[in-house]
Amino acid sequence: MMPPQVGPHPEWSVPDEVPPPPRGPGVLAPFAAPPRDRDLRGLWIALGVGGLVLVLCCIAGVVGLGFLLPYANSLGKDQVASVVKDYLTAVRDEDFATARRQLCDSERKTHSLGWFEDRYGRARVTDFAVNADDVTFENVITVPARVLQDGNWRQERYTMEQAGARYLICGGLD
């Protein structure tokens, strides 16, 4: 064990103080902050280039959105028309259970498999044409179709309803 020290405490042992720099020629105090370059030209160039890139990205986003909106509308029309095509394909192939799955709940309640057999059993659908460009999105989504039944072309209009992520036929069957 060491004996206790007697005498005054050294100056540097106080925790709040920093020891002074040593005295002598050529001794400098450490920098409080790194030196600063007074020429701000590089900073302004970098800010200008960054601003220009930001403006170009905004313009590209607006132009891209302008091209995307008509494509999204076309994609929605194709999706709705494909439901009617699936329905008419199932009716033509006399797969009435698949055709019935394309109907909304209210239409499924009133159109049983027996209804399909009665309606399309004696007057078979032999061909059809559905054009996605003719689909209208107004108050109601309407899909027109030409159906060849008993040797006669008939114009039919199916109204659609969205159920979750898919579209279902909810009118135009009678």
Side-chain angles (χ1 to χ4, degrees):
M1 187 162 216
M2 293 183 72
Q5 291 185 353
V6 179
H9 291 292
E11 281 183 42
W12 54 269
S13 69
V14 179
D16 293 337
E17 292 183 24
V18 176
R23 295 183 179 257
V27 176
L28 298 173
F31 289 114
R36 187 176 145 215
D37 186 13
R38 297 210 181 253
D39 185 18
L40 297 176
R41 192 168 133 210
L43 174 67
W44 287 111
I45 290 173
L47 286 174
V49 168
L52 180 65
V53 168
L54 179 65
V55 167
L56 289 176
C57 286
C58 289
I59 290 171
V62 168
V63 170
L65 191 61
F67 283 118
L68 181 65
L69 289 177
Y71 174 72
N73 189 30
S74 173
L75 186 63
K77 286 182 175 186
D78 289 340
Q79 184 181 8
V80 171
S82 72
V83 173
V84 174
K85 287 178 187 176
D86 292 345
Y87 170 78
L88 291 173
T89 300
V91 168
R92 181 190 64 202
D93 298 341
E94 296 183 2
D95 183 5
F96 300 132
T98 301
R100 193 167 179 266
R101 279 193 294 270
Q102 304 301 321
L103 304 180
C104 67
D105 289 337
S106 62
E107 290 294 321
R108 234 183 264 148
K109 288 176 186 172
T110 58
H111 297 86
S112 65
L113 288 177
W115 180 87
F116 278 95
E117 290 168 359
D118 289 344
R119 167 118 190 243
Y120 297 111
R122 48 192 144 101
R124 294 195 59 221
V125 172
T126 53
D127 198 9
F128 62 89
V130 178
N131 187 359
D133 293 333
D134 296 335
V135 174
T136 58
F137 289 99
E138 291 173 5
N139 294 338
V140 178
I141 303 170
T142 306
V143 181
R146 292 183 58 224
V147 178
L148 181 62
Q149 193 173 11
D150 279 342
N152 296 321
W153 284 99
R154 294 181 340 155
Q155 188 72 24
E156 295 185 357
R157 300 182 75 74
Y158 298 96
T159 56
M160 307 297 288
E161 181 179 278
Q162 189 170 5
R166 56 184 291 221
Y167 288 97
L168 298 172
I169 297 172
C170 204
L173 300 175
D174 296 322

